[in-house]
Amino acid sequence: MKHNLTALIAGLLFGAGLTISTMVDPARVLGFLDILGAWDPTLAFVMLGGIAVYLPGYHFLIKPRQSTLLAGDFHVPQKKGVDKPLLIGSTLFGIGWGLSGICPGPGLANLSGGLPAIWVFVLCMLLGMLVASKLK
């Protein structure tokens, strides 16, 4: 139960951050991706803010540990190479993000708005995840 509560609080914090920074707005994301037009750099500042918080935390709090605070052991991914599944998956992700302006995190955060387009996006995303897992 303690792990679920922690996950809920982390998810609410993440969703609130996305909403406050207006990164749930597809127009804002599409503006960031429009590097040859009316480029909107605000998403870069949000990313840099996240990296500035994460890097010291990872280096000083996570990396030296052998276990998590609330659960058991955790494993830092050891795979460092670029392979075919990574290239194909990242390309499909980028195409979907560029066409819709919706990233999975903001898509889930936007579900509460009840917009049909967001529901269609999330359903298609889940379907894509299901198909990809079956193909693997």
Side-chain angles (χ1 to χ4, degrees):
M1 180 67 169
K2 180 171 51 171
H3 309 310
N4 291 339
L5 181 60
T6 303
L8 175 65
I9 292 169
L12 290 172
L13 182 63
F14 179 71
L18 288 173
T19 303
I20 291 168
S21 66
T22 67
M23 290 303 118
V24 294
D25 180 7
R28 170 85 62 191
V29 176
L30 287 172
F32 173 73
L33 297 172
D34 187 11
I35 57 174
L36 299 177
W39 186 60
D40 180 359
T42 52
L43 181 56
F45 290 108
V46 172
M47 287 184 210
L48 289 173
I51 291 169
V53 170
Y54 173 77
L55 279 180
Y58 176 77
H59 184 70
F60 295 111
L61 301 174
I62 296 172
K63 198 173 180 182
R65 299 182 60 86
Q66 298 299 315
S67 64
T68 65
L69 293 174
L70 300 175
D73 295 338
F74 69 93
H75 305 280
V76 177
Q78 301 301 315
K79 188 175 180 182
K80 304 216 187 285
V82 175
D83 58 6
K84 188 175 176 182
L86 175 64
L87 291 173
I88 293 170
S90 60
T91 299
L92 290 173
F93 177 87
I95 291 169
W97 189 22
L99 289 174
S100 68
I102 306 169
C103 190
L108 293 174
N110 272 328
L111 280 176
S112 63
L115 296 172
I118 299 296
W119 281 93
V120 169
F121 169 81
V122 171
L123 288 174
C124 289
M125 178 183 72
L126 293 173
L127 179 63
M129 292 167 65
L130 180 66
V131 169
S133 70
K134 297 295 182 192
L135 292 175
K136 208 172 191 184

